[in-house]
Amino acid sequence: MKIKNICCIGAGYVGGPTMAVIAHKCPDVKVTIVDLNKERIAAWNDKDVANIPVYEPGLSEIVASARGKNLFFSTDVEKAIDEAEMIFISVNTPTKTYGLGKGMAADLKNIELCARQIAAVAKTDKIVVEKSTLPVRTAEALRSILDNTGNGVKFQILSNPEFLAEGTAVTDLLDPDRVLIGGDTDTEGQEAIEALVQIYANWIPRERILTTNVWSSELSKLTANAFLAQRVSSINAISELCEKTGADVNEVARAIGMDSRIGPKFLKASVGFGGSCFQKDILNLVYIAKNYGLHEVADYWEQVIIMNDHQKRRFAANIVRTLYNTVSGKKIAFLGWAFKKDTNDTRESAAIYVADDLLKEQANIAVYDPKVEEGAVLYDLNYLHTRSAEDNRKGVKAYADPYEACHDAHAIAVLTEWDEFREYDWQRIYNNMKKPAFVFDGRNVLDAERMMKIGFVFCGVGKAY
Ligand code: NAI
């Protein structure tokens, strides 16, 4: 079966870039991305391609190459479903904030709505592809909704989790380590898998396209994120020990990373991981394990989150302690708010939690991030419901210029590893700060020796200075 028409429900950080790359690489396939969010679709359709709602290096060029030719963004969900032979579901699956499984389970409301809408609209057979990260066995629920329409339409359900990392989404999509496709083991299932393999084979070598059963595919995505996050929490656990013992976590990471069994990636100590996925997916894994009565398995993975929360909290506590046990009324400049460099995504960013802790201590926070504006910063803090929106507005101000953000500050906290932070005129920043001038480098991006030579009191993660 050759696919000519693809629909993707969800025009977010995953749906947008993945479908833009498919359209770019498969000029014969019409790709329509739909979303309920009108502003988001309008932004994807903005005449000036620099205004698309997701910032990723190289993305606007890819969108520009295909938009209006074989790539379309629309709010007409039903029309796109009707026309497509293959429908990707790429909607958000956040942690539940209510009811059973609150704070742990994935909220599958959006997924179910998509399935019901597909069931209601489809007049011809469809392949439905789970692109969102979902708990293992979600395909079962989808099937039971789709197979009960009574109108004779046949559905195949595939799992095709996305492994891209924000900040490098385009290169990850163009040259992925692997693509994973899970489907049914019967003939129809294998045909559906092959139809999707054909799409990816337009630019990805066949040996990197893995096919499995649906459950392995669903569980592999949760497992991959759990392993990645676990490495961060592991090195962060060691960073605290380094600070007490005179070891340097960068040296330790280098020494263990050269062991080919361990490998050098994802061994950077920091203020903690953020992003919309790691925490949500591990909590989901923990919840699933608990549901099966696997308490030791659940506790094991939960520890990754506990360590990460600890790392964020102790970073904030260290700022307070170092500033003579009070930051009340002091200006603390935050360099970076995004959860990592090269993205404008701030979901679950460590910066939010560090700011929240410092606001509890009555600090004044001045934020500079090259891709994040004040509205997003306040939205993130308000979302925590720690204090009123009014109080957040009083305590936090965002700046368009880093030198202004740091002017008259008592301390600077680096929360995101943006490359530009290394290039600043640090002497100028120092001259305009209150003295002693403190820098807390939560990403270990600055040159500690140089900073101390200028006169800063310097604190990094995982080394006592
Ligand atoms: P997002 O929140 O950026 O985008 C989801 C979009 O779906 C939103 O624009 C929302 O309006 C839309 N939507 C929700 N329900 C809808 C419905 N019923 N009909 C039409 N549109 C609807 O989320 P993001 O980051 O793109 O994540 C999507 C999925 O991909 C999640 O399951 C996530 O875990 C997974 N994922 C995310 C990665 C990331 O780096 N952000 C990486 C890999 C997987």
mmCIF file of all heavy atoms in Angstrom, residues 128-156:
data_model
loop_
_atom_site.group_PDB
_atom_site.id
_atom_site.type_symbol
_atom_site.label_atom_id
_atom_site.label_comp_id
_atom_site.label_asym_id
_atom_site.label_seq_id
_atom_site.Cartn_x
_atom_site.Cartn_y
_atom_site.Cartn_z
ATOM 1 N N VAL A 128 -3.663 4.030 11.776
ATOM 2 C CA VAL A 128 -3.545 5.041 12.841
ATOM 3 C C VAL A 128 -2.204 4.828 13.537
ATOM 4 O O VAL A 128 -1.895 3.712 13.965
ATOM 5 C CB VAL A 128 -4.709 4.912 13.846
ATOM 6 C CG1 VAL A 128 -4.531 5.879 15.014
ATOM 7 C CG2 VAL A 128 -6.047 5.170 13.148
ATOM 8 N N VAL A 129 -1.415 5.877 13.608
ATOM 9 C CA VAL A 129 -0.057 5.748 14.139
ATOM 10 C C VAL A 129 0.059 6.503 15.456
ATOM 11 O O VAL A 129 -0.173 7.722 15.500
ATOM 12 C CB VAL A 129 0.986 6.310 13.140
ATOM 13 C CG1 VAL A 129 2.392 6.062 13.646
ATOM 14 C CG2 VAL A 129 0.794 5.723 11.760
ATOM 15 N N GLU A 130 0.424 5.801 16.503
ATOM 16 C CA GLU A 130 0.677 6.474 17.785
ATOM 17 C C GLU A 130 2.057 7.122 17.700
ATOM 18 O O GLU A 130 3.078 6.427 17.692
ATOM 19 C CB GLU A 130 0.719 5.461 18.933
ATOM 20 C CG GLU A 130 -0.545 4.678 19.168
ATOM 21 C CD GLU A 130 -0.339 3.588 20.229
ATOM 22 O OE1 GLU A 130 0.817 3.256 20.568
ATOM 23 O OE2 GLU A 130 -1.347 3.064 20.706
ATOM 24 N N LYS A 131 2.085 8.449 17.631
ATOM 25 C CA LYS A 131 3.373 9.163 17.650
ATOM 26 C C LYS A 131 3.618 9.707 19.060
ATOM 27 O O LYS A 131 4.754 9.789 19.521
ATOM 28 C CB LYS A 131 3.317 10.273 16.589
ATOM 29 C CG LYS A 131 4.555 11.108 16.421
ATOM 30 C CD LYS A 131 5.779 10.302 16.165
ATOM 31 C CE LYS A 131 6.276 10.173 14.762
ATOM 32 N NZ LYS A 131 7.525 9.352 14.725
ATOM 33 N N SER A 132 2.533 10.069 19.740
ATOM 34 C CA SER A 132 2.664 10.503 21.139
ATOM 35 C C SER A 132 3.298 9.382 21.958
ATOM 36 O O SER A 132 3.187 8.204 21.603
ATOM 37 C CB SER A 132 1.289 10.774 21.745
ATOM 38 O OG SER A 132 0.621 11.803 21.075
ATOM 39 N N THR A 133 3.932 9.752 23.064
ATOM 40 C CA THR A 133 4.457 8.750 23.990
ATOM 41 C C THR A 133 3.306 8.249 24.858
ATOM 42 O O THR A 133 2.631 9.041 25.520
ATOM 43 C CB THR A 133 5.542 9.373 24.886
ATOM 44 O OG1 THR A 133 6.554 9.900 24.032
ATOM 45 C CG2 THR A 133 6.132 8.353 25.837
ATOM 46 N N LEU A 134 3.102 6.943 24.851
ATOM 47 C CA LEU A 134 1.918 6.405 25.520
ATOM 48 C C LEU A 134 2.278 5.250 26.429
ATOM 49 O O LEU A 134 3.259 4.542 26.195
ATOM 50 C CB LEU A 134 0.942 5.903 24.446
ATOM 51 C CG LEU A 134 0.420 6.993 23.511
ATOM 52 C CD1 LEU A 134 -0.350 6.390 22.359
ATOM 53 C CD2 LEU A 134 -0.452 7.962 24.292
ATOM 54 N N PRO A 135 1.452 5.034 27.451
ATOM 55 C CA PRO A 135 1.685 3.877 28.316
ATOM 56 C C PRO A 135 1.576 2.590 27.494
ATOM 57 O O PRO A 135 0.804 2.544 26.535
ATOM 58 C CB PRO A 135 0.533 3.942 29.324
ATOM 59 C CG PRO A 135 -0.124 5.253 29.154
ATOM 60 C CD PRO A 135 0.304 5.840 27.862
ATOM 61 N N VAL A 136 2.366 1.586 27.909
ATOM 62 C CA VAL A 136 2.281 0.326 27.195
ATOM 63 C C VAL A 136 0.856 -0.212 27.307
ATOM 64 O O VAL A 136 0.248 -0.156 28.362
ATOM 65 C CB VAL A 136 3.355 -0.673 27.702
ATOM 66 C CG1 VAL A 136 3.277 -0.890 29.192
ATOM 67 C CG2 VAL A 136 3.285 -1.998 26.969
ATOM 68 N N ARG A 137 0.321 -0.670 26.207
ATOM 69 C CA ARG A 137 -1.017 -1.241 26.011
ATOM 70 C C ARG A 137 -2.087 -0.199 25.696
ATOM 71 O O ARG A 137 -3.267 -0.496 25.675
ATOM 72 C CB ARG A 137 -1.457 -2.152 27.174
ATOM 73 C CG ARG A 137 -0.550 -3.373 27.299
ATOM 74 C CD ARG A 137 -1.204 -4.567 27.903
ATOM 75 N NE ARG A 137 -2.076 -5.272 26.978
ATOM 76 C CZ ARG A 137 -1.681 -6.246 26.150
ATOM 77 N NH1 ARG A 137 -0.429 -6.620 26.104
ATOM 78 N NH2 ARG A 137 -2.549 -6.848 25.357
ATOM 79 N N THR A 138 -1.664 1.048 25.378
ATOM 80 C CA THR A 138 -2.666 2.038 24.971
ATOM 81 C C THR A 138 -3.328 1.633 23.657
ATOM 82 O O THR A 138 -4.521 1.905 23.438
ATOM 83 C CB THR A 138 -2.017 3.427 24.792
ATOM 84 O OG1 THR A 138 -1.374 3.764 26.010
ATOM 85 C CG2 THR A 138 -3.044 4.493 24.466
ATOM 86 N N ALA A 139 -2.558 0.982 22.781
ATOM 87 C CA ALA A 139 -3.120 0.603 21.476
ATOM 88 C C ALA A 139 -4.373 -0.249 21.652
ATOM 89 O O ALA A 139 -5.278 -0.227 20.825
ATOM 90 C CB ALA A 139 -2.076 -0.137 20.653
ATOM 91 N N GLU A 140 -4.406 -0.980 22.767
ATOM 92 C CA GLU A 140 -5.571 -1.821 23.047
ATOM 93 C C GLU A 140 -6.825 -0.952 23.203
ATOM 94 O O GLU A 140 -7.883 -1.257 22.655
ATOM 95 C CB GLU A 140 -5.298 -2.562 24.352
ATOM 96 C CG GLU A 140 -6.087 -3.801 24.566
ATOM 97 C CD GLU A 140 -5.477 -4.581 25.738
ATOM 98 O OE1 GLU A 140 -5.044 -3.950 26.728
ATOM 99 O OE2 GLU A 140 -5.423 -5.800 25.648
ATOM 100 N N ALA A 141 -6.680 0.137 23.957
ATOM 101 C CA ALA A 141 -7.813 1.042 24.168
ATOM 102 C C ALA A 141 -8.214 1.696 22.846
ATOM 103 O O ALA A 141 -9.403 1.807 22.530
ATOM 104 C CB ALA A 141 -7.435 2.113 25.188
ATOM 105 N N LEU A 142 -7.207 2.112 22.067
ATOM 106 C CA LEU A 142 -7.521 2.718 20.769
ATOM 107 C C LEU A 142 -8.310 1.732 19.910
ATOM 108 O O LEU A 142 -9.306 2.087 19.285
ATOM 109 C CB LEU A 142 -6.230 3.101 20.029
ATOM 110 C CG LEU A 142 -5.439 4.294 20.566
ATOM 111 C CD1 LEU A 142 -4.245 4.562 19.670
ATOM 112 C CD2 LEU A 142 -6.322 5.531 20.614
ATOM 113 N N ARG A 143 -7.821 0.488 19.913
ATOM 114 C CA ARG A 143 -8.472 -0.514 19.071
ATOM 115 C C ARG A 143 -9.923 -0.689 19.485
ATOM 116 O O ARG A 143 -10.810 -0.759 18.647
ATOM 117 C CB ARG A 143 -7.723 -1.845 19.157
ATOM 118 C CG ARG A 143 -8.479 -2.972 18.486
ATOM 119 C CD ARG A 143 -7.584 -4.059 17.960
ATOM 120 N NE ARG A 143 -6.503 -3.529 17.156
ATOM 121 C CZ ARG A 143 -5.228 -3.785 17.364
ATOM 122 N NH1 ARG A 143 -4.869 -4.544 18.369
ATOM 123 N NH2 ARG A 143 -4.317 -3.292 16.577
ATOM 124 N N SER A 144 -10.161 -0.722 20.787
ATOM 125 C CA SER A 144 -11.523 -1.006 21.201
ATOM 126 C C SER A 144 -12.459 0.138 20.811
ATOM 127 O O SER A 144 -13.624 -0.091 20.505
ATOM 128 C CB SER A 144 -11.571 -1.389 22.681
ATOM 129 O OG SER A 144 -12.054 -0.348 23.435
ATOM 130 N N ILE A 145 -11.941 1.363 20.751
ATOM 131 C CA ILE A 145 -12.784 2.480 20.280
ATOM 132 C C ILE A 145 -12.973 2.397 18.763
ATOM 133 O O ILE A 145 -14.078 2.504 18.247
ATOM 134 C CB ILE A 145 -12.150 3.832 20.667
ATOM 135 C CG1 ILE A 145 -12.184 3.993 22.188
ATOM 136 C CG2 ILE A 145 -12.867 4.994 19.986
ATOM 137 C CD1 ILE A 145 -11.366 5.144 22.716
ATOM 138 N N LEU A 146 -11.861 2.142 18.060
ATOM 139 C CA LEU A 146 -11.927 2.172 16.590
ATOM 140 C C LEU A 146 -12.676 0.977 16.004
ATOM 141 O O LEU A 146 -13.289 1.085 14.946
ATOM 142 C CB LEU A 146 -10.503 2.228 16.012
ATOM 143 C CG LEU A 146 -9.740 3.531 16.304
ATOM 144 C CD1 LEU A 146 -8.286 3.398 15.909
ATOM 145 C CD2 LEU A 146 -10.377 4.704 15.579
ATOM 146 N N ASP A 147 -12.613 -0.155 16.714
ATOM 147 C CA ASP A 147 -13.242 -1.355 16.157
ATOM 148 C C ASP A 147 -14.737 -1.449 16.470
ATOM 149 O O ASP A 147 -15.388 -2.413 16.115
ATOM 150 C CB ASP A 147 -12.536 -2.626 16.674
ATOM 151 C CG ASP A 147 -11.222 -2.839 15.952
ATOM 152 O OD1 ASP A 147 -10.957 -2.084 14.988
ATOM 153 O OD2 ASP A 147 -10.452 -3.729 16.345
ATOM 154 N N ASN A 148 -15.253 -0.469 17.158
ATOM 155 C CA ASN A 148 -16.663 -0.535 17.519
ATOM 156 C C ASN A 148 -17.514 0.527 16.841
ATOM 157 O O ASN A 148 -18.518 0.970 17.376
ATOM 158 C CB ASN A 148 -16.816 -0.458 19.043
ATOM 159 C CG ASN A 148 -16.531 -1.802 19.673
ATOM 160 O OD1 ASN A 148 -17.219 -2.782 19.406
ATOM 161 N ND2 ASN A 148 -15.492 -1.877 20.468
ATOM 162 N N THR A 149 -17.092 0.943 15.666
ATOM 163 C CA THR A 149 -17.861 1.978 14.974
ATOM 164 C C THR A 149 -19.070 1.369 14.258
ATOM 165 O O THR A 149 -20.047 2.061 14.010
ATOM 166 C CB THR A 149 -16.998 2.695 13.911
ATOM 167 O OG1 THR A 149 -16.514 1.698 13.002
ATOM 168 C CG2 THR A 149 -15.833 3.422 14.528
ATOM 169 N N GLY A 150 -18.959 0.090 13.893
ATOM 170 C CA GLY A 150 -20.078 -0.576 13.226
ATOM 171 C C GLY A 150 -20.259 -0.158 11.777
ATOM 172 O O GLY A 150 -21.239 -0.516 11.139
ATOM 173 N N ASN A 151 -19.311 0.619 11.231
ATOM 174 C CA ASN A 151 -19.493 1.051 9.833
ATOM 175 C C ASN A 151 -18.592 0.292 8.846
ATOM 176 O O ASN A 151 -18.465 0.680 7.686
ATOM 177 C CB ASN A 151 -19.280 2.568 9.698
ATOM 178 C CG ASN A 151 -17.854 2.968 10.072
ATOM 179 O OD1 ASN A 151 -17.030 2.102 10.372
ATOM 180 N ND2 ASN A 151 -17.576 4.246 10.063
ATOM 181 N N GLY A 152 -17.943 -0.750 9.345
ATOM 182 C CA GLY A 152 -17.176 -1.610 8.438
ATOM 183 C C GLY A 152 -15.795 -1.095 8.077
ATOM 184 O O GLY A 152 -15.048 -1.765 7.368
ATOM 185 N N VAL A 153 -15.439 0.101 8.557
ATOM 186 C CA VAL A 153 -14.100 0.637 8.254
ATOM 187 C C VAL A 153 -13.061 -0.133 9.070
ATOM 188 O O VAL A 153 -13.269 -0.396 10.257
ATOM 189 C CB VAL A 153 -14.038 2.145 8.591
ATOM 190 C CG1 VAL A 153 -12.630 2.675 8.430
ATOM 191 C CG2 VAL A 153 -15.004 2.922 7.711
ATOM 192 N N LYS A 154 -11.950 -0.501 8.426
ATOM 193 C CA LYS A 154 -10.917 -1.258 9.145
ATOM 194 C C LYS A 154 -9.760 -0.350 9.527
ATOM 195 O O LYS A 154 -9.313 0.484 8.736
ATOM 196 C CB LYS A 154 -10.391 -2.371 8.242
ATOM 197 C CG LYS A 154 -11.359 -3.503 8.027
ATOM 198 C CD LYS A 154 -10.539 -4.803 7.861
ATOM 199 C CE LYS A 154 -11.429 -5.964 7.514
ATOM 200 N NZ LYS A 154 -11.924 -5.891 6.125
ATOM 201 N N PHE A 155 -9.272 -0.564 10.727
ATOM 202 C CA PHE A 155 -8.150 0.245 11.223
ATOM 203 C C PHE A 155 -6.970 -0.644 11.572
ATOM 204 O O PHE A 155 -7.166 -1.727 12.142
ATOM 205 C CB PHE A 155 -8.570 1.016 12.478
ATOM 206 C CG PHE A 155 -9.625 2.037 12.229
ATOM 207 C CD1 PHE A 155 -10.967 1.749 12.457
ATOM 208 C CD2 PHE A 155 -9.288 3.298 11.759
ATOM 209 C CE1 PHE A 155 -11.951 2.692 12.228
ATOM 210 C CE2 PHE A 155 -10.265 4.247 11.533
ATOM 211 C CZ PHE A 155 -11.603 3.943 11.760
ATOM 212 N N GLN A 156 -5.788 -0.178 11.251
ATOM 213 C CA GLN A 156 -4.576 -0.806 11.768
ATOM 214 C C GLN A 156 -3.939 0.196 12.714
ATOM 215 O O GLN A 156 -3.909 1.401 12.412
ATOM 216 C CB GLN A 156 -3.604 -1.116 10.624
ATOM 217 C CG GLN A 156 -3.921 -2.390 9.880
ATOM 218 C CD GLN A 156 -3.851 -3.616 10.794
ATOM 219 O OE1 GLN A 156 -2.983 -3.714 11.653
ATOM 220 N NE2 GLN A 156 -4.784 -4.540 10.609
#
